[in-house]
Amino acid sequence: MHPALAGDLARLPELLRTAHDAAARAAAGWAKRPVAALGPAPARAPLPERGEGGAGAPARFTERWAPGMSASAGPRRLGFVTGGVTPAALAGDWLTSAYDQNAAGDAGSWGTALERETVARPAGMFGLGDAHSGAFVTGATMSNTVGLAIAREWPGERLGVDVRRAGAAALGPVDVLSGSSPRGRLSRALSRAGPPGAAAAPRGTHRARR
């Protein structure tokens, strides 16, 4: 094992306490931190010849980059909402990274069963029943992509088209309803839901043609 990594592992509790303290200071400063960082960012630095390790890298972030981080997680941010992490969610994110599970199947880990239980709880709250299923994805762009990939199966069933084999182009024109100002991620999701060139991005209309 590389000496730097071995040293980080030996000092892991100390490194986690340092990260904990830094995160706590950041959360406590949301009320005073500006909701938008208007000053120039630091000049780009080259890749160092040697890594700084588990203590040096967070220290470098705190020194160079933390001052320019906006209070996007605080209550005064009224623009693009990035989540507004709660204390429980922050702690859960730490545990997720610490356990670092590859929940791609049932073998070897209970992570997939935990995901299914977590998905089932809001399903029961909304009265969706036992037939409802789902999975967590990485963010808004992927959720739009997965949602459209699932939705295209509905016209496929009614037209007798196996979309997974024949592709979305076999459906012919399909209307996709959106708001008058859809975000760019919807256009990207539409382009991925069918073969290249088959998707037309919505352009400021309530009804878009796929």
Side-chain angles (χ1 to χ4, degrees):
M1 182 182 295
H2 191 279
L5 179 57
D8 284 348
L9 289 174
R11 296 185 300 143
L12 182 58
E14 175 188 344
L15 296 177
L16 291 178
R17 282 193 297 271
T18 301
H20 163 272
D21 293 342
R25 287 194 300 270
W30 282 333
K32 297 180 180 179
R33 184 178 293 271
V35 295
L38 302 179
R44 183 178 299 179
L47 181 70
E49 294 184 4
R50 299 180 61 182
E52 299 186 24
R60 180 64 64 91
F61 167 80
T62 300
E63 176 187 354
R64 296 189 67 224
W65 297 105
M69 297 293 111
S70 69
S72 58
R76 294 178 295 111
R77 170 80 174 201
L78 302 178
F80 181 61
V81 179
T82 56
V85 62
T86 64
L90 177 59
D93 190 61
W94 276 45
L95 290 175
T96 300
S97 298
Y99 280 96
D100 197 18
Q101 299 293 286
N102 184 358
D106 292 323
S109 172
W110 292 357
T112 304
L114 172 59
E115 180 181 32
R116 290 179 182 142
E117 179 180 288
T118 308
V119 170
R121 288 186 174 184
M125 181 173 63
F126 291 113
L128 297 178
D130 295 336
H132 176 80
S133 63
F136 291 106
V137 295
T138 54
T141 298
M142 187 52 64
S143 66
N144 285 328
T145 302
V146 172
L148 286 168
I150 295 172
R152 69 185 184 179
E153 299 297 322
W154 185 84
E157 289 179 359
R158 281 144 186 81
L159 296 173
V161 175
D162 187 342
V163 181
R164 286 173 291 182
R165 292 181 178 273
L171 296 173
V174 176
D175 287 332
V176 179
L177 302 181
S178 72
S180 60
S181 300
R183 295 191 61 81
R185 62 172 54 96
L186 179 57
S187 302
R188 293 191 292 271
L190 283 167
S191 69
R192 295 187 180 100
R203 297 175 181 270
T205 61
H206 289 280
R207 172 166 289 184
R209 183 71 72 174
R210 204 271 321 135

